[in-house]
Amino acid sequence: MAPEFFVRLEDAALNAWPAPRQMIYDGWLLRFAQGYTKRANSINIRFESQLPFKEKIRVCEAIYASENLPLIFRLPDPFASPELKLALADAGYQIFDPTFVLGREIARCGAFPKEIKMNDMDIEGWIELRAKLTGTPIEHWTVHREILEVILPKKTLMGMVVNDQPVACGMGVLEGNLLGYFSIYVGERFRRCGYGKMMMWGLTNWGVDRGGRFGYLQVEGDNQPAITLYEKMGFETCYKYLYSKKL
């Protein structure tokens, strides 16, 4: 894949999972979401730096400290230079949580069994479903709701019902012809029944019907069941990214 395509993928993924607050500092995108998820509370390397890394790291540490947040760097392989990684190591930062960006060309999937229904939901209904499937209080999802509300590209919040029983949820975000898959979750009682694959199918059909041609997703390197599922569906590694913080 050409470097220009990696830029498009990275931009689409950042737009699909935005932070409620952010700022740009010398080519770095600083994101803040009250500590909810690493992606929305980290520095994302986007453009070349003009300032010395040592100075920039010190300034960013002060900014994140003022927000009562740890400073976390998100380092995509195509954009994070060896010099930056060395500067972070010298400043006491350590690598953790390698994550893969997987992708593939997409086309419409087959028909669903008659007992499966895919529902396009509003934010409140989807949050309630997500809370129920995960067994967490609805109050836990306040920042997640804020993130959903500020997504600008087209999105679908999808719930899967099997024989009138809610079993799974997922989100698709479409920017141009790039379809991102996010927040795929199958309730614990309903796993190993193929519902994760069916949710992916539902999101794919939604995206393809609106012009999607390439699908991508992000999966942590230690989530082997998810990696296995996506590889069976034809997804391949586009690039990976690492996180870095003082451990």
Side-chain angles (χ1 to χ4, degrees):
M1 293 181 179
E4 294 81 6
F5 188 69
F6 293 148
V7 172
R8 286 188 60 210
L9 272 184
E10 189 69 9
D11 285 350
L14 290 171
N15 291 336
W17 191 252
R21 299 168 61 230
Q22 64 182 37
M23 64 177 285
I24 294 177
Y25 173 54
D26 189 38
W28 291 357
L29 177 63
L30 285 60
R31 292 161 38 109
F32 310 91
Q34 301 180 43
Y36 186 80
T37 80
K38 298 188 298 295
R39 270 183 292 160
N41 292 276
S42 55
I43 293 179
N44 290 262
I45 309 306
R46 298 300 296 115
F47 307 105
E48 292 186 6
S49 294
Q50 304 301 315
L51 299 174
F53 288 138
K54 184 176 181 180
E55 174 186 339
K56 289 183 67 173
I57 293 169
R58 184 172 61 250
V59 170
C60 290
E61 286 176 338
I63 292 172
Y64 276 80
S66 71
E67 296 291 323
N68 295 313
L69 291 172
L71 178 55
I72 300 174
F73 285 85
R74 179 177 170 276
L75 307 171
D77 280 352
F79 311 113
S81 67
E83 292 78 12
L84 171 58
K85 293 178 181 178
L86 180 60
L88 288 172
D90 288 343
Y93 286 77
Q94 298 182 43
I95 296 298
F96 71 107
D97 283 0
T99 304
F100 297 94
V101 178
L102 309 181
R104 60 159 293 178
E105 299 289 334
I106 56 174
R108 229 178 180 283
C109 303
F112 296 100
K114 62 181 180 180
E115 68 271 15
I116 293 180
K117 290 183 173 60
M118 295 290 186
N119 299 319
D120 191 10
M121 309 178 72
D122 62 19
I123 289 177
E124 287 304 319
W126 191 86
I127 288 288
E128 290 178 8
L129 172 60
R130 180 92 176 176
K132 180 179 180 180
L133 290 173
T134 57
T136 53
I138 193 70
E139 295 80 12
H140 174 78
W141 300 95
T142 300
V143 180
H144 199 122
R145 181 186 292 106
E146 291 180 13
I147 290 173
L148 297 179
E149 288 173 346
V150 297
I151 295 172
L152 287 177
K154 295 177 184 177
K155 70 175 183 294
T156 180
L157 299 171
M158 196 169 287
M160 178 191 297
V161 175
V162 180
N163 293 324
D164 299 323
Q165 173 68 58
V167 302
C169 64
M171 179 175 74
V173 182
L174 183 68
E175 183 171 340
N177 64 359
L178 299 178
L179 173 66
Y181 302 88
F182 295 87
S183 300
I184 309 296
Y185 190 86
V186 178
E188 189 172 356
R189 294 194 295 119
F190 309 107
R191 294 174 185 170
R192 299 178 182 85
C193 298
Y195 295 143
K197 181 179 180 180
M198 292 294 102
M199 176 55 67
M200 291 288 291
W201 281 15
L203 296 172
T204 298
N205 288 346
W206 174 88
V208 170
D209 288 347
R210 290 160 179 78
R213 296 294 176 266
F214 189 90
Y216 70 91
L217 53 88
Q218 299 162 325
V219 58
E220 291 189 357
D222 62 356
N223 191 350
Q224 193 55 52
I227 292 174
T228 299
L229 169 64
Y230 299 137
E231 287 180 344
K232 287 181 178 178
M233 296 182 68
F235 285 86
E236 298 178 348
T237 299
C238 299
Y239 60 93
K240 76 176 188 300
Y241 59 85
L242 304 167
Y243 288 100
S244 182
K245 71 175 181 179
K246 290 183 177 178
L247 299 176

